[in-house]
Structure formats: structure tokens, C-alpha cells
Amino acid sequence: MKPTDMAKEGAEMTEETEHMIEKNGEKETENVVPAGDAKEMRAVILSGFGGLNKLRVTKKAMPEPQEGEVKIRVKACGLNFLDLMVRQGNIDNPPKTPFVPGFECSGIVEAMGESTNGFEIGDRVMAFVNYNAWAEVVCTPVDYVYKMPDDMSFPEAAAFSINFVAAYMMLFEVANLRDGMSVLVHSAGGGVGQAVAQLCSTIPNVTVFGTASSFKHEAIKDSVTHLFDRNVDYVQEVKKISPDGVDIVLDCLCGENTGKGLGLLRPLGTYILYGSSNMVTGETKSFFSFAKSWWQVEKVNPIKLYEENKVMAGFSLLNLLFKQGRCGHVKTVVDKLFSLYNQKKIRPVVDSLWALEEVREQLVVRDISLNTSVMMSDWRVC
Ligand SMILES: NC(=O)c1ccc[n+]([C@@H]2O[C@H](COP(=O)([O-])OP(=O)(O)OC[C@H]3O[C@@H](n4cnc5c(N)ncnc54)[C@H](OP(=O)(O)O)[C@@H]3O)[C@@H](O)[C@H]2O)c1
């Protein structure tokens, strides 16, 4: 099943969405709203950590590029689980509110600061942003900006960067995925989950075990070899099929799943912790969920890892980019992913498109949707 077909089955509005995606993939879009007052732009502001009522669209001063920065007229920005955790204040060292959330966008280069060789006004680009992506205009260092493949639409690009770069680096750089291996991934219907499934399909004979809510199974069943409901005892289910476990466990849940994942590893297998979705149990941050998840994490003894021949790893793309200065490395990964995209081996799954003003509705339906949602900064709700 093609990714676009998955989205079609998973979201009722997708036929319309698909049309919009195609439309916005063209270089000249028909529904571009004039920039208006060039001194201001629209942006989604998070006024305080907590529920959906903390988000609103407001006018902000137009940012101008500093040395080494590119100014992007944003066409689409990605909305991920991580954004939900940011909204709740469920992350390490969150910025002070108010601020503009969002870590990824796509759009057109509108201006450049000094020392931004390689880019021209009018270039179609995809970019990582250290917050501020949910806006009409974004300025970000040139190191985080990539020229998009000609065939890639703006919504696809906004759904591509975090999901596919994280999935690729975990599978191929941390865990060294090879022919014949097996992978367990949680939240298999989500943005990262589907990127993992697609990337696994580029390697022969890889078995993918996935957990997801049952209502998503029909839509994603062709991308995951063995799919389990998120509430079943997946350890037992995996062992029924593969008694000696799996080679790679990708855990974005944390808590008790850390011990379960480590327990499922074959000798020389790799467990990677890359998220803590279990800490999210409602609309606002819950200290009980945080404490429970922290308490349930298996306290790992390195000597046990040594004796059992197991590898335990962690992965955070945002820290790699914005705290650990590995943007050069990430660029080589983006180049490889663009090559796979151009060969039509991978394609980001866009669940639905929304205007900036619809950010709250979008976050409400997020849990019942299949995949990455994208906000179109030049759409307006009347
Ligand atoms: N470390 C990194 O670099 C990195 C990068 C990107 C994302 N992540 C992490 O990867 C995970 C998935 O992100 P994503 O953007 O792919 O997610 P997504 O597309 O928003 O999918 C989220 C899905 O996660 C599942 N889920 C699991 N626990 C949940 C909870 N407590 N509340 C609500 N949904 C829950 C639900 O699917 P089911 O009901 O089907 O289980 C939900 O639909 C998140 O933990 C995120 O923080 C990490």
C-alpha cells in the first residue's frame, strides 16, 4: 500500500487533503495570501505551559536574517508529538513563555544574511528551527536549511525532516540495520513509526514488529510485518513469533517498556530510547505520570549488558542539532534521505493539513489521526 493510500484510509478528509498536498507541491501555489504589512507576520504563540487554551495566533514583529541566517517564507510547518510535550512543559529546559513553538518547516527563501553561500532568493527549502517554526516567516542558520527535491511538496517536506532523519539515524547509524534483522517499534502509526517502517522496507528481509491502536491497523498493516494492539502484552506476542526476540528495539514510550525492550533483545541487539510518550496522560503535564514513568525505568547494570551482549543507546535529534553541533553530520543524512525519496523508496505520510488558526483543533484530533499533521502558514480561516 502506498503511503498516500494509508493516509486515505486513516483520515476521512484525505482525498481533499491529497488534492491540497499536490496543489501545494507546485512551485506557484494559487492560494498564496499576500504578505501584508512587511513589518509584521502571523505566528502561533504559546503563552504558558498547559492546555490547548495556551495557544493562539497573534501578530509578531517580522524577523530579519542575521549573519549566517536564511529568511524563509514558511509554506508548511510540521506538528509532532514533541510539540505536544513542549506545550505541556514536559521537556528538559523549556524556553520561557511566551514563545513560538515548532521545530521544522518548509518554504521559500525570501532573504539571506551575510555568509549564506549556496542559497538564493526563491529556493524551495526544508529547515530545522530551534523553536519559532509555527509562523509565516522564520529565520534560521544556514546549517539547518536544505534545498528540497523538485518533486517534493511543501507539506511533504514539513512532515519529512524530523521523522525521517530520526528514524534513519537510529536504524542505520546507531543500530546498524542489516539484511535479515528484526525491529520492534512502538507507535507504529505515528510519524516516526511510519518512517521507520518505510526505511526498513529499503533493506531486504527485515521483519518489523509494531504496536499501535487497533483502529490504525488496517491503514498501516502493509508497512508492518506483525502488528499488535498497543494494549496487548507485546512481549509475549513477539516471543510467540520469534522466541529469541529481536535485533533492534526502538522505544519512544519509556517507563516499563525500557525493561521489556531490553529483555526482548537478541545477543548483539540494540535498544534505543528516543522518547517518553508515557509521560503524557492528559491535556496538561502530570507529575504523577512523570514520576511513574521515571520509577518504572529499568535500572541497568553495565555488567549485565556485557554478560548478555546487549547494546543500550539513547537518541535525541534536537539535542544533536541544537546542543551538540552535529548539523554537518545531519546534512549527510538528509542528502541520503533525499536520494531515497528521489528513487521513490520513501515518501512522508501527511495525515492532514490545517491553517495556523486551527492549531487547537488540530491538537485535539491528533490522537485519532494516523500521522504527521502539517500547518499551512498561508492559509487563513474566515
Ligand atoms: N528523539 C528524537 O529525536 C525524536 C524525534 C521525533 C519524535 N520522537 C518521539 O517519538 C515519539 C513519536 O513521535 P511522533 O511525532 O512520531 O508521534 P505521532 O506521529 O504524533 O504519533 C503519536 C502516537 O503515539 C502513540 N502514543 C503513545 N503514547 C501516547 C500517549 N501517552 N499519548 C498519546 N499518544 C501516545 C499514539 O499512537 P497509538 O495509539 O497507535 O499507540 C499516538 O497516535 C514521541 O515520543 C516523540 O517524542 C523523538
Side-chain angles (χ1 to χ4, degrees):
M1 185 186 288
K2 286 186 304 179
T4 45
D5 294 334
M6 291 181 219
K8 225 172 259 174
E9 291 204 25
E12 286 167 15
M13 62 173 290
T14 309
E15 201 166 304
E16 189 189 347
T17 303
E18 190 110 322
H19 170 67
M20 293 165 182
I21 291 169
E22 296 301 338
K23 231 172 120 187
N24 281 279
E26 293 165 15
K27 287 208 169 188
E28 295 299 324
T29 55
E30 286 169 28
N31 57 350
V32 173
V33 175
D37 184 351
K39 291 192 175 121
E40 288 189 328
M41 60 152 188
R42 283 152 63 242
V44 177
I45 290 275
L46 182 70
S47 57
F49 297 111
L52 295 169
N53 59 352
K54 304 288 183 190
L55 288 164
R56 68 191 155 83
V57 175
T58 187
K59 290 261 170 91
K60 281 203 59 151
M62 177 66 71
E64 292 306 332
Q66 306 299 304
E67 183 173 353
E69 284 187 348
V70 174
K71 177 180 177 181
I72 300 167
R73 173 70 47 180
V74 175
K75 292 288 184 182
C77 44
L79 220 150
N80 304 300
F81 197 83
L82 214 49
D83 298 308
L84 188 153
M85 296 189 75
V86 168
R87 193 199 81 219
Q88 297 190 346
N90 233 331
I91 52 162
D92 260 353
N93 295 319
K96 281 203 176 117
T97 55
F99 65 89
V100 178
F103 297 107
E104 59 185 346
C105 68
S106 59
I108 296 173
V109 173
E110 196 166 86
M112 283 111 51
E114 305 267 303
S115 317
T116 47
N117 291 344
F119 287 94
E120 287 175 17
I121 291 172
D123 280 345
R124 299 168 78 248
V125 293
M126 170 182 108
F128 290 112
V129 194
N130 195 8
Y131 296 99
N132 289 318
W134 294 358
E136 283 181 308
V137 176
V138 152
C139 290
T140 192
V142 71
D143 290 342
Y144 304 130
V145 185
Y146 318 91
K147 285 185 196 165
M148 287 161 50
D150 289 342
D151 289 346
M152 191 179 266
S153 69
F154 289 116
E156 279 186 325
F160 188 82
S161 33
I162 290 184
N163 292 331
F164 275 90
V165 172
Y168 186 97
M169 294 190 81
M170 289 192 289
L171 287 173
F172 296 109
E173 308 213 331
V174 183
N176 194 13
L177 177 68
R178 298 184 303 282
D179 191 344
M181 282 186 159
S182 53
V183 179
L184 168 67
V185 61
H186 295 289
S187 309
V192 177
Q194 281 295 292
V196 164
Q198 288 189 30
L199 287 168
C200 285
S201 74
T202 66
I203 303 295
N205 308 314
V206 171
T207 304
V208 181
F209 295 89
T211 68
S213 288
S214 291
F215 72 89
K216 299 176 186 171
H217 287 201
E218 183 57 28
I220 62 172
K221 67 178 191 309
D222 289 353
S223 63
V224 180
T225 327
H226 303 287
L227 203 44
F228 312 119
D229 182 79
R230 65 178 295 187
N231 297 314
V232 303
D233 181 350
Y234 64 86
V235 173
Q236 290 311 315
E237 296 300 320
V238 170
K239 282 191 171 165
K240 275 186 213 163
I241 299 162
S242 176
D244 65 339
V246 297
D247 296 298
I248 299 170
V249 174
L250 301 179
D251 180 12
C252 61
L253 302 178
C254 198
E256 61 181 2
N257 297 282
T258 300
K260 289 181 179 178
L262 277 169
L264 267 178
L265 281 186
R266 285 178 176 152
L268 300 182
T270 305
Y271 163 93
I272 307 175
L273 180 69
Y274 71 103
S276 49
S277 298
N278 274 352
M279 288 184 195
V280 175
T281 47
E283 204 189 306
T284 54
K285 181 174 174 173
S286 156
F287 285 99
F288 175 73
S289 306
F290 175 82
K292 184 176 166 209
S293 186
W294 184 86
W295 181 251
Q296 287 177 329
V297 174
E298 174 120 336
K299 307 296 175 280
V300 182
N301 180 348
I303 295 173
K304 202 171 162 214
L305 293 177
Y306 149 75
E307 286 170 351
E308 294 180 352
N309 270 310
K310 290 182 178 176
V311 180
M312 189 177 189
F315 181 80
S316 163
L317 178 59
L318 296 182
N319 284 355
L320 202 64
L321 281 168
F322 301 123
K323 290 188 181 163
Q324 295 158 353
R326 298 305 170 101
C327 40
H329 187 150
V330 170
K331 184 170 186 331
T332 64
V333 172
V334 172
D335 289 342
K336 287 175 195 165
L337 285 166
F338 281 170
S339 166
L340 288 171
Y341 178 87
N342 287 331
Q343 295 168 56
K344 303 199 184 321
K345 291 186 173 172
I346 55 173
R347 186 176 173 189
V349 184
V350 179
D351 177 73
S352 49
L353 302 179
W354 304 79
L356 290 182
E357 284 78 3
E358 293 172 305
V359 62
R360 292 189 201 171
E361 291 90 322
Q362 201 292 132
L363 285 166
V364 170
V365 299
R366 168 138 212 82
D367 244 18
I368 54 164
S369 68
L370 192 64
N371 245 296
T372 300
S373 314
V374 163
M375 287 191 288
M376 307 299 293
S377 73
D378 51 9
W379 288 12
R380 285 174 195 258
V381 178
C382 301

